[in-house]
Amino acid sequence: MAYWYEGPLAAFDTETTGVDVETDRIVSAAVIVQDAPGARPRVSRWLVNPGVPVPAAATAVHGLTDDHVQRNGRWPSPVMEEIAKELAEQAVRGRPLVVMNAPFDLTLLDRELRRHRASCLAQWFESSPLRVLDPRVLDKHLDRYRKGRRTLTDLCGHYGVTLEGAHDAAADALAAMDVVRAIGRRFAARLERLSPAELHTLQAVWHAAQARGLQAWFARSGTEEEVDPAWPLRPDLPAAA
């Protein structure tokens, strides 16, 4: 019997103008589809002219300059619809979608759809629900007492996954997929009986608990930062940009 982590998976990642899902924009995105571990992945890429300047701090992370995206990027409106359509197609085909730190990338895509298409991400999954696998949530729940950071780079190092070209959307998506497969194998006794649909529901609960724990830690340390417990998509704000 082949378990979900040995079967077909898709993965999604973005590079952006910053880290605020309400105001920042997508400058590149990728969807990776792989039928089995080691199989050649199929890659869909998008480069976007976000319509706003790309800050130097963002360029320092992903290497995409304002001049480059203005000259070579496409206008956001058709791109956001194409991305949403591609993700919906994966849901129709029953492929779980790997998204590292899903509330960031999926919420940002939702806000871009609202901004440019007068729609929302949820509309694309009314007939075939999205089943998300978030390596960050899975790892924090299954190995909760391990010390250290849990960025994608850290998880790749911990699980022995090669990450070539970090902060490229396609490279990060493929690495996140490989991490999820590695997590599945390492914790097979706890995961193999769970379907992606069941894991999707459980991760919402696990993420909320993780958020409460982080919020409590912030409170003890005097940090005023708010931690959103919603997963995999943050609710819309009335005054979203």
Side-chain angles (χ1 to χ4, degrees):
M1 177 181 178
Y3 299 109
W4 59 262
Y5 47 85
E6 303 292 358
L9 293 176
F12 172 59
D13 190 71
T14 66
E15 298 301 331
T16 68
T17 60
V19 297
D20 188 330
V21 296
E22 303 299 338
T23 60
D24 280 305
R25 312 296 175 91
I26 293 173
V27 295
S28 71
V31 174
I32 304 287
V33 178
Q34 188 182 49
D35 293 329
R40 184 174 181 176
R42 300 185 293 279
V43 183
S44 299
R45 300 173 182 266
W46 295 267
L47 182 67
V48 186
N49 178 351
V52 299
V54 179
T59 298
V61 173
H62 49 60
L64 298 171
T65 65
D66 188 58
D67 180 69
H68 179 72
V69 298
Q70 285 192 32
R71 289 176 179 272
N72 302 288
R74 296 170 57 203
W75 192 244
S77 179
V79 170
M80 299 312 150
E81 182 171 18
E82 288 173 15
I83 296 172
K85 184 177 181 179
E86 179 66 25
L87 297 185
E89 177 66 20
Q90 302 312 315
V92 168
R93 294 182 178 275
R95 295 190 187 103
L97 182 68
V98 175
V99 190
M100 174 72 184
N101 192 19
F104 178 78
D105 293 85
L106 294 182
T107 304
L108 194 56
L109 176 58
D110 174 79
R111 302 312 192 250
E112 289 278 53
L113 287 166
R114 293 173 186 270
R115 184 177 293 120
H116 297 290
R117 302 295 303 183
S119 65
C120 68
L121 188 60
Q123 294 174 359
W124 290 87
F125 302 101
E126 291 174 347
S127 58
S128 298
L130 189 63
R131 307 301 187 195
V132 176
L133 298 170
D134 187 333
R136 186 169 182 267
V137 174
L138 291 170
D139 176 70
K140 288 183 72 174
H141 177 77
L142 295 164
D143 198 1
R144 67 182 69 184
Y145 299 113
R146 188 179 81 250
K147 296 185 182 299
R149 301 174 63 197
R150 301 184 194 237
T151 66
L152 180 59
T153 300
D154 296 319
L155 294 185
C156 285
H158 181 71
Y159 288 100
V161 170
T162 300
L163 173 55
E164 297 181 355
H167 299 298
D168 169 82
D172 286 357
L174 182 59
M177 180 187 293
D178 288 342
V179 168
V180 163
R181 293 194 189 280
I183 290 173
R185 296 186 195 104
R186 183 168 299 187
F187 297 98
R190 299 167 65 180
L191 294 177
E192 61 187 15
R193 296 181 181 276
L194 296 170
S195 70
E198 291 169 326
L199 273 173
H200 181 100
T201 300
L202 286 169
Q203 285 170 101
V205 177
W206 297 342
H207 178 271
Q210 293 162 8
R212 289 193 297 270
L214 182 58
Q215 192 72 74
W217 185 85
F218 281 157
R220 291 194 300 272
S221 62
T223 302
E224 296 183 357
E225 184 176 347
E226 294 291 328
V227 183
D228 196 321
W231 182 97
L233 183 66
R234 296 175 186 171
D236 186 36
L237 296 180

